[in-house]
Amino acid sequence: MLLAITGFIMIFLIIYLLLQTKANPTAIFVIVPIVCAVVCGFDFAQISAFMKKGVTTTMPVAVLFIFSIVYFSIMSEVGLFDPLVNFLVRRAGSNVVLVTVATGCIATIAHLDGALAATLLVTIPAMLPLYKKLHIRPVVLCVIIGAAMSIMNLLPWGGPVARVGVVLNADVNALWHTLIPLQIAGVFMVLGFSAFMGVLEKRRGAGLHPTGKAAMLDEDASSARQETDEEAESLKRHGWYWWFNLLLTAAVIGMLCFTHIQLYAAFMIGLSLALVVNFPDPKMQAKRIKAHAGAALGVPMILLASGVFLGVLTGTKMMDAMAHTLVAIIPGFLGPYFHIIMGIFAVPIGMMLGTSPYFFGLLPLAIGVGQQYGISPENMSHAMLVGKNFAVLVTPHAATTFLCCGLAGVSIKQLIKFCTPWLWALSIISLILALILGIVTI
């Protein structure tokens, strides 16, 4: 019981401190888990082993972040995305709704490979310049991508469906065939949600000629932009450079989607070639790397620190104790609706536990309890799978969450506060759709 209580306190404290910005996330993810582990009676040798194992799991994503951020930052400043942005601006004009719907389409297509990081790395760098030009908040870009990924994650090669298949000992393709009607309905839901977010942003004053709050923010930043316009223009690369950068980026994305090469290796290769070709002068190469060092190093530090949290959470067995407690607190009279309850609260629970502990730790326990009330394992799995997917972008200790923050230039506090309510609401709507379609039954 001590482990469970301490685990819940640790997670709630970390989320509270992140939202209140009481300290840097790096310090939060290191100090709080260590203190909690000590409270539970673990010595420093054990805690060190937990830390080592946890950091090992986040290291590849931290390296990926360093090289991908610098790569896409350089691609942006040399003008690779300018034709796309200018084309979309011409086509959309001041139609903010069209831009947000296009974001939903791009994110949906980009997530066909089922890789969260690749979807973020493709969609955000391409769309963020347009969002800035039209004065649309970057968190809107994040929440639309989060919604699209949540629906597309129902593909058989997506991580959550594969994990459910393992737990049920079922064929993953057969499981996906059951979910296809929900996925089709979900795509339309995402596009509708994207349009809705566009309407909200337009009411805030977003557009080519902003009004209200967006206009005031634009006026405040105008002088700063004027000072940097000349320097930014000097970094643009036209002619054959543009074609080289386009082919290089396509090759990097191709490696992400169609090969088994490590994600960070693809960006290491891409960044090296981009620097050498676009900036032959070694001093200029060092200057461009230094210019993006803040963004490229800050978040990886947080990712490595979050490995301490994950290592303590799993190594101390807090996760197992928390999962048992969550299942045990459901009152008996709600037993027949246990799967619906788990589906409704899947987002906050998923935010606390993370993907693998949720499916491999909590789901088997929930299935066992549900069977006592006549709920089939498939029914329980479907309900918990549909809801949990929408927590994928707002899990405060997930690497992709910080990757999204870094690419979009938003803080973890902004991301969680803005995106969580919307994504939780979408998860409940998806659960209702699953009930209507007969995928989840009462």
Side-chain angles (χ1 to χ4, degrees):
M1 182 59 71
L2 174 62
L3 285 174
I5 293 174
T6 305
F8 284 119
I9 291 175
M10 178 174 68
I11 290 175
F12 285 127
L13 184 58
I14 286 174
I15 293 175
Y16 171 77
L17 293 174
L18 288 173
L19 293 178
Q20 296 299 317
T21 59
K22 297 294 185 182
N24 185 275
T26 301
I28 294 171
F29 279 120
V30 172
I31 295 174
V32 175
I34 291 177
V35 171
C36 291
V38 171
V39 169
C40 292
F42 294 92
D43 59 40
F44 191 72
Q46 292 172 306
I47 296 173
S48 297
F50 301 154
M51 293 172 64
K52 180 180 179 180
K53 186 174 181 180
V55 170
T56 300
T57 63
T58 58
M59 179 73 76
V61 183
V63 177
L64 161 67
F65 190 92
I66 293 172
F67 286 90
S68 65
I69 283 293
V70 178
Y71 178 83
F72 278 115
S73 296
I74 288 177
M75 287 297 105
S76 180
E77 67 186 11
V78 298
L80 175 63
F81 304 113
D82 288 356
L84 173 63
V85 171
N86 293 334
F87 171 77
L88 290 174
V89 169
R90 287 195 303 269
R91 297 289 296 179
S94 58
N95 193 335
V96 175
V97 176
L98 186 60
V99 172
T100 55
V101 171
T103 303
C105 294
I106 293 171
T108 299
I109 295 170
H111 200 60
L112 284 171
D113 65 349
L116 301 176
T119 302
L120 295 170
L121 291 166
V122 169
T123 310
I124 294 179
M127 296 302 296
L128 186 60
L130 180 59
Y131 271 62
K132 290 181 177 179
K133 182 167 287 190
L134 294 179
H135 315 280
I136 306 172
R137 290 174 293 175
V139 284
V140 174
L141 172 60
C142 296
V143 76
I144 293 173
I145 294 173
M149 290 195 307
S150 301
I151 288 299
M152 295 306 293
N153 237 14
L154 294 175
L155 290 168
W157 49 87
V161 175
R163 288 174 172 87
V164 170
V166 170
V167 172
L168 293 177
N169 193 26
D171 179 70
V172 176
N173 280 331
L175 178 60
W176 177 53
H177 289 161
T178 304
L179 298 169
I180 286 176
L182 175 62
Q183 196 168 27
I184 294 173
V187 169
F188 286 101
M189 179 188 72
V190 168
L191 296 180
F193 174 70
S194 301
F196 175 71
M197 295 307 299
V199 171
L200 291 184
E201 286 302 287
K202 194 171 183 180
R203 289 179 179 175
R204 289 186 70 257
L208 285 177
H209 305 289
T211 59
K213 186 175 181 180
M216 289 188 289
L217 292 174
D218 182 59
E219 184 177 347
D220 293 338
S222 60
S223 59
R225 285 204 307 271
Q226 290 171 0
E227 294 174 1
T228 59
D229 279 349
E230 185 175 342
E231 180 183 359
E233 188 59 34
S234 68
L235 296 173
K236 301 295 184 184
R237 296 291 183 267
H238 306 289
W240 71 268
Y241 282 105
W242 186 87
W243 286 105
F244 169 81
N245 291 324
L246 177 65
L247 293 174
L248 178 62
T249 302
V252 170
I253 294 174
M255 284 191 285
L256 296 178
C257 298
F258 304 114
T259 72
H260 296 293
I261 189 174
Q262 291 290 337
L263 296 181
Y264 61 78
F267 281 103
M268 282 182 171
I269 297 170
L271 176 60
S272 301
L273 292 173
L275 285 171
V276 171
V277 173
N278 288 284
F279 306 104
D281 183 4
K283 292 182 179 179
M284 191 60 176
Q285 295 171 13
K287 185 177 180 180
R288 298 327 307 152
I289 293 174
K290 185 178 180 180
H292 305 296
L297 293 178
V299 175
M301 288 180 62
I302 299 173
L303 291 174
L304 295 173
S306 69
V308 176
F309 164 76
L310 293 174
V312 169
L313 192 65
T314 55
T316 59
K317 304 299 182 183
M318 286 183 190
M319 181 62 65
D320 295 339
M322 291 166 61
H324 281 89
T325 302
L326 285 171
V327 172
I329 60 177
I330 301 296
F333 70 91
L334 293 177
Y337 310 101
F338 185 46
H339 59 311
I340 303 299
I341 295 171
M342 295 302 292
I344 291 173
F345 291 99
V347 167
I349 294 174
M351 290 174 65
M352 288 191 294
L353 299 185
T355 302
S356 291
Y358 180 90
F359 287 108
F360 293 140
L362 181 61
L363 178 57
L365 290 172
I367 287 174
V369 174
Q371 285 179 311
Q372 300 177 24
Y373 297 99
I375 302 171
S376 70
E378 292 76 17
N379 207 11
M380 178 66 74
S381 299
H382 292 160
M384 293 182 64
L385 170 63
V386 169
K388 164 63 180 72
N389 268 352
F390 285 88
V392 70
L393 198 65
V394 288
T395 301
H397 51 82
T400 48
T401 300
F402 289 101
L403 180 61
C404 179
C405 290
L407 289 171
V410 301
S411 68
I412 184 68
K413 174 182 177 180
Q414 291 173 314
L415 185 77
I416 292 177
K417 287 187 69 174
F418 181 84
C419 297
T420 302
W422 290 115
L423 294 175
W424 193 359
L426 289 176
S427 77
I428 295 174
I429 294 173
S430 296
L431 183 60
I432 293 172
L433 289 173
L435 287 166
I436 294 173
L437 294 169
I439 297 171
V440 176
T441 58
I442 299 178

